[in-house]
Amino acid sequence: MPRPVLDEAAIHPAIQQKVANLNGDLLRQVQTDVASNTVMVFGMSGNPWVGRARKTLNAAGVAHGYLEIGSYFSQWRRRNALKMWTGWPTFPMVFVRGVLVGGAQDVQRLAESGELKQLLAA
């Protein structure tokens, strides 16, 4: 499932380094958190869907890591880097065993169907 990404040849050499490093610290932290936690949730304060996803995981007895990246009024540019990296347009972003499984409604469906337990048992 390749997603279109602007080819490096179409980026002027004078700005290639800036593009390559934009919010790189956040992306490295996210990648480390995903690798270090069986289940990892990325969210933002004030977003009720983040709380719903975490409540679903808690109700299923699933321990999970959590990283809050700002609020509706702060750090939106940094969150955009995460959206571009994953291709997922909303928060929360939930990863299970390094795989992006979606947001709150997606986690709810996985829990209700039993697939979440299967993913965790693998």
Side-chain angles (χ1 to χ4, degrees), residues 29-30 33-34 37-44 47 49-58 62-69 82 90-97 99-104 107 116:
Q29 180 179 0
V30 165
D33 289 347
V34 167
N37 292 277
T38 304
V39 178
M40 189 67 200
V41 179
F42 298 96
M44 53 190 268
N47 182 325
W49 294 101
V50 174
R52 289 177 188 168
R54 296 186 74 201
K55 284 180 184 175
T56 297
L57 293 169
N58 288 336
V62 176
H64 60 279
Y66 176 64
L67 178 64
E68 187 171 279
I69 308 165
L82 189 51
T90 61
F91 284 90
M93 293 179 185
V94 181
F95 288 79
V96 176
R97 296 201 178 279
V99 175
L100 176 64
V101 298
V107 168
L116 181 60

Side-chain angles (χ1 to χ4, degrees), residues 17-37 40 42 67 69 78 81-82 85:
Q17 198 65 24
K18 183 175 183 177
V19 170
N21 294 323
L22 187 63
N23 292 308
D25 62 323
L26 175 61
L27 294 178
R28 284 187 295 278
Q29 180 179 0
V30 165
Q31 291 167 339
T32 298
D33 289 347
V34 167
S36 302
N37 292 277
M40 189 67 200
F42 298 96
L67 178 64
I69 308 165
R78 290 178 58 77
L82 189 51
W85 178 67

Side-chain angles (χ1 to χ4, degrees), residues 5-13 16:
V5 177
L6 185 61
D7 189 271
E8 191 174 319
I11 301 172
H12 191 276
Q16 284 180 352

